[in-house]
Amino acid sequence: MDYKKLGFKCGIEAHQQLEGNKLFCNCPSIVHDKDPDIFFERKLMAVTGEMGKTDLAAKAEMKKNRINKYEACSSSSCLLEMDEEPPHSVNQNALETALEVAMLMNMKIVDEVEFMRKIVVDGSNVSGFQRTAIIGMDGYIDTSKGKVIIESLFLEEEAAQKIKEDGNSVSWRLDRLGVPLLEVQTDANIKDADHAKEVASKIGMILRSTGKVKRGIGTIRQDVNVSIKGHPRIEIKGFQELKILSEVVETEIKRQQKNMGEDPHVRKFNSDGTTEFMRPMPGGARMYPETDVPSIKITKSMIKAIKIPELISDRILKYEKEGINPDLAIGLVKNNIQLADYNYRIDKNFLAHVLIELPKEIKKRFGLDYKFQEKDFNFVLVAYEKKKITKEAIIDILTSIAKGEDINLKKYAPVDDSKIDGEIKEIVEKNKNLSVGGIMGIVMGKYRGKVDGNKISKLVNKYMN
Ligand SMILES: [Zn+2]
C-alpha cells in the first residue's frame, strides 16, 4: 500500500487500567470480583450538554429506550459506584503514576488538574458520565519512523463492564467502574499500519515501565482512528490484541475504499478481526465541569518529588550489557526482578535461570502455580553459595517450598566424590544384567538432587566398560 498516496491518517488512543484503588473511592482496583450481592436498575435519562445541545450519540442511545441492569460486589463497589454518594478526593497514587507517564512521554504538565464530566450514553457509567482530567499535553515518543506526537494524557474512571444484552435490557458489572484509567492520545500522523502497531506497543511498554499498571488481557485497550483521503475519520474501538493491529488497520483502509460516502462513526472490533458499525461519532457537547472534585494544583515540588521510572526497554538492554542472555533479561524485567537484590557469588546467568526459569518449570512439571518470594530464593541460594546443596537440588527444594513441605537441607548435602565413585562401582557389579539406563535409574534414584547428573553418567560408563 502506498500510504502517502492514500492520504492515510491514523492516531491511537490507548487506555490502561492502574493497580491499587479506584480513582475516587477506597474500593480496590479489582476488575473481576466474585459473586455479586448488589443489584439495581436504571433507565438512561436525556442529558443535555452545557451548550443546550443534546449529544447525537446520546439521542441514538435514547431511541433504544433501554433498561440498564447493574450488579456489583460489596467488596469492590461502594455507594459511589451506585452514584449515591459524591466522589472522595482523587487517588494520589494514580495521579502520581499519571505524572510519571507524562514525564516519560515528554509532555507539558498542566498547572492544575481539573476533573470534567464526560457524558457517557451507553449505560456503562451509572451516573451517565465519566470523570476525566487532562494531565499532560504536547509530548512525544521516539519510534523507528521518527517522533510521534502524544497530544494528551488523561486520568479518568474506567467504565462498568457489559456482561449481557437481552432484548431491551443491558446488564453491567460494576467491579471495573471507577478503576483509574490512563488515556494516551497520539496525533493523526502515524505513518502506516505497521507503524500503528509499533506506536501502540511502545506506549504499552512505557505505561508498564511505571510498574503500577494492571497486566493481562483487557487491562489495556486501544482505539484506532483511521481515514484515507476523501473519507471521514472512523474510530475502531476496543482493540486488545496488538499482534493483529496492523492487519486491522489494513482491512479498514480497504473497507473505506469501498464505502466512500460514509459518515464518521465508531466501529466495534470483533474478535475475528472484522469490525462492525457501533454508533455515530460522539459530538462536541459532551463535557462539563465536575464541581464535586476540587481542582488540584500541580506544584513544582510535586513534580520534583516524582521519580521517573527507568523504561523497560532500557532495563532489558542494561542486563544484556551485563552479559545476561536476552531471554533471561526480558524475563527478569517482565517479572520485575532486580538481579542486584540477589548478591551471591554465583554465575549471573545461572542466578537469572533460577529466578526465571525454575518457577516456570515447576509450574509446568507439577502444575504448581506458586508465587515464589524473595525469601524462598534466598533460602536456596544461600545454601547453594555455601555449598550445602548442589546445583541439582535447587529445583527440588523450590518444588518442596511450592508444595508447602518441610525441608531438611541435610537430605540435599553434596556427596563426597570418592564415596560416589565407590558406590557406583558396587551397584554396577551387583547388577551386571542391567543396561546403562537401568544402572543410571538406580544411581539417580539414590543421589537425585545431590550430585551432578553428568558426573554420575561418566562414572556409570566408566564401570560398565
Ligand atoms: Zn467504591
Side-chain angles (χ1 to χ4, degrees):
M1 280 186 188
D2 185 341
Y3 286 90
K4 263 201 176 144
K5 221 168 146 187
L6 279 169
F8 177 75
K9 278 197 183 308
C10 176
I12 288 174
E13 266 179 48
H15 303 85
Q16 170 75 63
Q17 296 166 354
L18 300 184
E19 281 289 7
N21 293 88
K22 292 192 177 180
L23 193 53
F24 290 109
C25 61
N26 289 325
C27 293
S29 242
I30 296 173
V31 170
H32 300 288
D33 208 347
K34 307 172 296 286
D35 299 325
D37 53 358
I38 300 165
F39 302 88
F40 62 100
E41 289 182 10
R42 296 281 161 88
K43 213 165 164 181
L44 180 78
M45 302 295 285
V47 186
T48 308
E50 256 201 329
M51 316 302 286
K53 283 185 283 180
T54 304
D55 192 89
L56 249 184
K59 270 186 181 160
E61 280 301 315
M62 280 175 53
K63 269 190 201 149
K64 295 180 192 162
N65 199 26
R66 290 190 308 196
I67 294 166
N68 290 303
K69 295 181 175 174
Y70 296 102
E71 48 183 73
C73 304
S74 43
S75 45
S76 59
S77 294
C78 62
L79 288 170
L80 181 61
E81 283 85 343
M82 286 162 246
D83 192 32
E84 283 171 6
E85 189 182 270
H88 309 187
S89 59
V90 70
N91 174 342
Q92 284 299 314
N93 293 330
L95 180 59
E96 269 174 33
T97 307
L99 293 173
E100 285 174 17
V101 170
M103 289 182 193
L104 285 171
M105 296 190 179
N106 313 291
M107 306 182 95
K108 293 191 184 84
I109 292 170
V110 296
D111 297 329
E112 213 165 334
V113 174
E114 279 184 88
F115 279 90
M116 303 288 285
R117 293 179 172 188
K118 180 154 93 183
I119 296 172
V120 174
V121 294
D122 63 359
S124 62
N125 287 65
V126 180
S127 57
F129 58 81
Q130 173 194 33
R131 295 180 184 90
T132 178
I134 189 161
I135 304 295
M137 59 206 105
D138 300 331
Y140 66 85
I141 56 170
D142 290 310
T143 72
S144 66
K145 288 168 183 163
K147 277 189 168 54
V148 169
I149 301 297
I150 305 295
E151 279 187 340
S152 52
L153 169 72
F154 291 88
L155 174 61
E156 53 192 35
E157 291 174 307
E158 173 67 290
Q161 190 160 32
K162 190 190 279 184
I163 47 172
K164 203 169 63 190
E165 264 189 277
D166 191 2
N168 208 31
S169 75
V170 186
S171 301
W172 305 88
R173 278 290 293 258
L174 296 190
D175 317 2
R176 213 176 69 173
L177 181 64
V179 165
L181 198 67
L182 291 179
E183 183 188 290
V184 177
Q185 289 181 349
T186 73
D187 74 355
N189 287 314
I190 289 171
K191 305 248 180 336
D192 53 53
D194 287 340
H195 194 214
K197 183 178 165 187
E198 184 194 336
V199 170
S201 105
K202 181 110 197 216
I203 290 172
M205 185 274 289
I206 293 173
L207 291 165
R208 288 194 304 279
S209 294
T210 62
K212 291 166 191 163
V213 304
K214 279 196 171 288
R215 305 290 296 269
I217 295 272
T219 57
I220 181 164
R221 301 187 299 275
Q222 276 91 11
D223 297 346
V224 187
N225 283 282
V226 179
S227 72
I228 53 172
K229 208 184 290 166
H231 195 285
R233 178 167 70 94
I234 299 295
E235 183 178 323
I236 303 169
K237 243 187 157 37
F239 210 84
Q240 297 180 9
E241 290 245 20
L242 269 193
K243 275 186 290 195
I244 49 170
L245 198 142
S246 323
E247 286 161 59
V248 170
V249 171
E250 278 179 23
T251 310
E252 176 58 20
I253 295 168
K254 287 175 195 151
R255 197 196 62 79
Q256 289 186 13
Q257 284 171 322
K258 282 187 216 142
N259 298 278
M260 287 310 276
E262 276 185 325
D263 285 328
H265 63 268
V266 181
R267 301 184 72 77
K268 189 177 119 209
F269 173 74
N270 299 322
S271 53
D272 64 356
T274 62
T275 61
E276 62 182 285
F277 180 88
M278 191 176 170
R279 56 175 149 86
M281 198 67 88
R286 57 200 287 253
M287 294 264 245
Y288 50 106
E290 168 56 277
T291 46
D292 288 340
V293 179
S295 64
I296 306 139
K297 281 214 159 54
I298 304 294
T299 59
K300 276 195 182 120
S301 61
M302 257 173 102
I303 298 283
K304 252 192 179 164
I306 299 279
K307 265 200 198 149
I308 304 178
E310 195 180 10
L311 287 181
I312 286 172
S313 53
D314 291 344
R315 277 180 247 165
I316 293 171
L317 222 65
K318 219 159 87 183
Y319 277 134
E320 288 183 20
K321 277 184 189 154
E322 285 175 26
I324 307 293
N325 89 47
D327 284 343
L328 289 173
I330 291 168
L332 286 169
V333 173
K334 238 185 175 171
N335 290 284
N336 212 8
I337 294 174
Q338 306 283 342
L339 216 47
D341 288 346
Y342 298 90
N343 190 16
Y344 296 99
R345 279 161 294 149
I346 55 181
D347 179 75
K348 277 189 178 175
N349 271 304
F350 178 66
L351 176 60
H353 172 80
V354 170
L355 299 171
I356 299 301
E357 295 303 326
L358 294 191
K360 277 199 256 174
E361 204 176 320
I362 290 166
K363 185 180 174 184
K364 208 169 118 191
R365 251 206 249 165
F366 305 102
L368 292 166
D369 201 2
Y370 175 81
K371 193 152 176 20
F372 287 97
Q373 308 288 316
E374 225 174 291
K375 67 171 171 40
D376 300 329
F377 289 122
N378 283 327
F379 178 71
V380 280
L381 291 167
V382 168
Y384 175 63
E385 191 190 37
K386 290 186 176 163
K387 299 195 163 58
K388 284 185 178 164
I389 60 168
T390 59
K391 222 178 207 181
E392 286 67 31
I394 293 176
I395 188 161
D396 290 358
I397 296 171
L398 287 176
T399 305
S400 288
I401 291 174
K403 285 180 178 164
E405 294 170 350
D406 286 336
I407 293 150
N408 177 9
L409 280 185
K410 281 190 185 130
K411 210 175 103 191
Y412 302 98
V415 183
D416 185 61
D417 277 7
S418 60
K419 193 182 165 209
I420 305 167
D421 193 290
E423 286 212 37
I424 287 177
K425 194 175 168 209
E426 212 181 298
I427 292 170
V428 171
E429 279 167 2
K430 271 189 194 159
N431 299 280
K432 287 216 157 62
N433 55 332
L434 283 182
S435 64
V436 176
I439 298 287
M440 276 298 286
I442 295 174
V443 181
M444 287 306 280
K446 197 164 176 191
Y447 290 110
R448 216 193 117 61
K450 292 184 189 175
V451 279
D452 181 346
N454 286 328
K455 199 188 273 174
I456 293 181
S457 167
K458 265 184 206 153
L459 287 172
V460 170
N461 279 304
K462 182 175 124 188
Y463 290 115
M464 292 280 289
N465 294 327

